């Protein structure tokens, strides 16, 4: 027995993305705990949360809307990655890895959303 969203690759990848961000933020300065650390964690977690919420008992139109929220959350997480890189909290290598991961995930969510007909 499982929830429908657990079978979605975009949900699985977004869960992995959120965990990668969490691990990365463990090295952020303590004075960022209530600012950038909190913001990027919430944004990255929101990607999977919106996919799962939109998938359960929603119309196709509503599901598409929640997938849009996931895409926006990814954009927010990427902006936070830029902030972290600019503040020298993360390496260029870590930035590039997570940037590419988020870009690929965004394209997968968009492609999935485009398959959902109203």
């Amino acid at each position: 027995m499982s929830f429908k969203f657990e079978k979605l690759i975009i949900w699985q990848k977004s869960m992995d993305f959120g965990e990668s961000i969490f691990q990365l933020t463990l090295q952020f300065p303590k004075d960022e705990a209530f600012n950038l650390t909190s913001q990027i964690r919430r944004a990255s977690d929101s990607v999977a949360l919106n996919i799962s919420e939109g998938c359960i008992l929603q119309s196709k139109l509503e599901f598409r809307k929640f997938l849009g929220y996931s895409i926006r959350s990814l954009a927010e997480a990427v902006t936070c990655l830029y902030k972290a890189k600019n503040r020298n909290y993360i390496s260029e290598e870590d930035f590039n890895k997570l940037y590419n991961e988020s870009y690929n995930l965004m394209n997968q969510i968009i492609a999935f959303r485009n398959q959902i007909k109203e």
Side-chain angles (χ1 to χ4, degrees), residues 49-107:
L49 291 168
N50 279 304
I51 292 169
S52 61
E53 186 176 354
C55 188
I56 300 296
L57 299 175
Q58 302 291 336
S59 67
K60 289 180 180 181
L61 184 62
E62 280 292 303
F63 190 19
R64 287 175 54 87
K65 187 189 320 183
F66 276 91
L67 291 172
Y69 298 153
S70 290
I71 294 164
R72 291 179 189 97
S73 293
L74 262 176
E76 185 178 341
V78 167
T79 300
C80 290
L81 285 171
Y82 271 105
K83 291 282 189 186
K85 182 181 75 148
N86 292 345
R87 295 174 187 175
N88 296 313
Y89 301 160
I90 61 173
S91 68
E92 188 77 29
E93 182 181 342
D94 285 338
F95 172 83
N96 289 333
K97 176 187 173 294
L98 288 164
Y99 181 91
N100 290 331
E101 191 175 329
S102 60
Y103 185 79
N104 290 331
L105 180 56
M106 178 193 67
N107 285 322

